[in-house]
Amino acid sequence: MSSRKAPFRKPQIKGAAAEELVHALRTHQVDAIVGERHIMLVRLKQAEEDLELSRNQLRALTASLLSIRENERIVIAREIHDELGQALTCLQLGLSWIAGKVTARQQPVQDKVRSLAALVTTMIRTVQRIADELRPGVLDELGLVKALKSEARKFTGYTGTPCKFETNMGKTGCSREESIAIFRIAQAALTNVARHAEASKIMMSLMDGKTHFVLTVHDNGKGITREQISGAQSLGIIGIRERVLALKGSLNIRGSKTTGTTLTVRIPRPRILLSHRPVSS
Amino acid sequence: MTSRSREKRRTAPAGGKTYAFQLFVAGNESNSTQARDNLARLCREYLTGRHEITIVDVLKDAATAYTHHVLVTPTLILIKPLPKVLLLGNLSDTRHVLAALRLIGGKQ
């Protein structure tokens, strides 16, 4: 006698029963489909659809928040630069005027004025740096490529780790939104490298492909784990992902202990519609 | 109210027979819950004291569902009186359900 289970017999469904089944499915009166090995909840599909809708709403909200944040940054940067910068410049001119009035016999006053002038100069530089970090003037004035070059240079200056940048892009490649997003992504990627990678060399590139803009940041550091890539604590990567998704792009992060980490962002190029209007002579 | 009383008038005399049902549901999914409620209501109104209902939750007991060749939930099987009847859906179409269970005289 065989102890094997009897094979599952497929239920026969014909005529009225088949009609009944079709009607029940059409009118959404079915909760679950009973299969040979498992129960498939029909409502699971609906739940997944709801979840996707909710995700899309969250993404739209994030995109809107990012845009609001950028605009706020512009306003704050302008206020700091114009108001505070102006006031500090006036203060510096005032101190110079006082320094001119002080006689050689008033040495302690002269020293004090000089130290105050030096302090004001430092403050002006700090204000410029803060305003620049909030909204890099170079991005608005000279465009994305120059801004990224400048960012690579700054990174090398701050960290002492050489960061090379290469591109095949001209001056006008991306829209304003794309430029801001790519620039912020590059900034976030470089911050991550500085904080975690322990790299001795960084290569950043921005390539203009036929269909996509491709930003790559590669370092030769200690790599990155899957948990770090998808972890809830990886706020930098979450921010990058949200910016990429807002532009319907894709993000790929690969890391290994031997080759370091490579972050690749692909942003689809906007489609240019050519008009074929007849030209009148 | 009117339609309900008409259905009652047209109810076939069951002759004291006991109706045995087996209702296959998927946990507390909405159609399954509706089917449970609708069956309980129909039994209360048309088969007072003459019915037995066995509820089978396929999420806990899939084997019984396989044995009875139940494809989807909710499914109601009239076990007795014979012949067996199989109904799919949430049993919200009272007229259709009553006709299928031979409790009223056919579909209009």
Side-chain angles (χ1 to χ4, degrees):
Chain A
M1 285 288 284
S2 168
S3 62
R4 285 170 66 187
K5 276 170 71 177
F8 177 78
R9 278 193 301 143
K10 275 190 181 173
Q12 296 292 312
I13 185 150
K14 289 175 190 168
E19 271 178 38
E20 186 93 15
L21 176 60
V22 170
H23 176 75
L25 286 166
R26 273 201 187 138
T27 51
H28 305 288
Q29 289 189 36
V30 171
D31 282 331
I33 297 168
V34 183
E36 186 179 355
R37 298 211 176 128
H38 56 273
I39 310 294
M40 290 166 281
L41 282 179
V42 170
R43 288 177 63 79
L44 190 63
K45 199 182 161 208
Q46 182 64 40
E48 277 170 0
E49 282 170 11
D50 289 348
L51 188 64
E52 189 56 33
L53 181 73
S54 169
R55 267 193 202 133
N56 287 340
Q57 283 171 342
L58 264 177
R59 274 173 199 154
L61 180 68
T62 309
S64 160
L65 282 174
L66 286 173
S67 167
I68 291 168
R69 195 170 73 174
E70 284 300 333
N71 290 335
E72 283 293 317
R73 280 180 162 189
I74 294 171
V75 174
I76 296 168
R78 196 184 296 138
E79 287 291 315
I80 288 176
H81 185 267
D82 294 355
E83 298 295 327
L84 210 52
Q86 187 95 18
L88 287 170
T89 308
C90 287
L91 192 61
Q92 198 176 40
L93 289 170
L95 287 170
S96 298
W97 183 82
I98 293 169
K101 297 289 176 191
V102 174
T103 60
R105 280 186 293 173
Q106 295 169 301
Q107 190 60 39
V109 180
Q110 208 168 35
D111 291 346
K112 192 70 188 171
V113 168
R114 204 172 289 140
S115 76
L116 283 173
L119 184 65
V120 171
T121 306
T122 313
M123 281 170 77
I124 288 171
R125 278 199 202 120
T126 307
V127 163
Q128 279 170 346
R129 184 179 53 77
I130 292 170
D132 202 48
E133 276 170 12
L134 280 167
R135 179 68 185 177
V138 69
L139 184 61
D140 289 329
E141 288 153 23
L142 302 171
L144 178 63
V145 170
K146 290 265 170 78
L148 288 177
K149 259 184 203 167
S150 155
E151 207 58 28
R153 221 175 14 247
K154 269 193 226 168
F155 182 89
T156 306
Y158 288 146
T159 62
T161 310
C163 176
K164 273 190 177 179
F165 174 68
E166 66 177 34
T167 183
N168 65 351
M169 272 179 72
K171 207 175 177 182
T172 53
C174 313
S175 69
R176 183 175 172 270
E177 285 73 25
E178 286 160 354
S179 295
I180 293 169
I182 292 171
F183 181 75
R184 295 292 184 206
I185 290 166
Q187 269 187 327
L190 289 177
T191 305
N192 275 351
V193 172
R195 280 188 190 156
H196 312 290
E198 295 171 19
S200 63
K201 213 163 53 178
I202 293 108
M203 181 70 220
M204 178 161 68
S205 69
L206 179 65
M207 294 298 165
D208 187 357
K210 273 186 183 172
T211 54
H212 288 78
F213 300 115
V214 184
L215 173 76
T216 310
V217 180
H218 171 74
D219 69 69
N220 66 347
K222 64 178 184 181
I224 187 169
T225 62
R226 279 190 182 185
E227 290 72 31
Q228 285 171 323
I229 293 170
S230 53
Q233 303 298 314
S234 310
L235 296 177
I237 293 173
I238 291 170
I240 291 173
R241 192 171 284 122
E242 289 303 328
R243 284 191 187 273
V244 171
L245 288 173
L247 293 172
K248 297 186 171 29
S250 64
L251 168 70
N252 183 24
I253 302 172
R254 281 184 184 182
S256 87
K257 280 180 187 172
T258 48
T259 56
T261 305
T262 306
L263 173 141
T264 310
V265 168
R266 293 166 65 83
I267 306 287
R269 284 180 68 105
R271 287 182 186 171
I272 300 163
L273 296 171
L274 297 169
S275 79
H276 294 287
R277 259 184 255 158
V279 181
S280 56
S281 58
Chain B
M1 280 303 284
T2 320
S3 67
R4 183 184 287 180
S5 58
R6 193 161 51 233
E7 279 161 12
K8 277 191 174 176
R9 272 201 306 276
R10 293 171 61 240
T11 298
K17 284 179 193 166
T18 298
Y19 279 63
F21 299 103
Q22 209 163 13
L23 179 65
F24 293 84
V25 295
N28 289 322
E29 291 296 308
S30 72
N31 284 309
S32 296
T33 307
Q34 279 183 55
R36 259 196 216 107
D37 295 346
N38 285 331
L39 181 63
R41 180 176 53 77
L42 289 172
C43 287
R44 207 168 42 241
E45 285 181 17
Y46 296 91
L47 296 166
T48 316
R50 292 190 291 120
H51 64 270
E52 292 166 16
I53 302 171
T54 311
I55 307 273
V56 180
D57 186 348
V58 299
L59 302 181
K60 290 176 188 159
D61 180 12
T64 309
Y66 300 151
T67 313
H68 288 82
H69 304 304
V70 169
L71 279 178
V72 296
T73 63
T75 290
L76 176 71
I77 301 178
L78 171 65
I79 308 282
K80 65 177 187 181
L82 293 171
K84 272 190 181 181
V85 173
L86 189 135
L87 280 167
L88 306 177
N90 57 21
L91 311 178
S92 55
D93 187 345
T94 308
R95 191 178 299 277
H96 173 77
V97 175
L98 289 174
L101 297 177
R102 304 184 293 274
L103 288 171
I104 58 170
K107 287 177 194 175
Q108 283 193 324

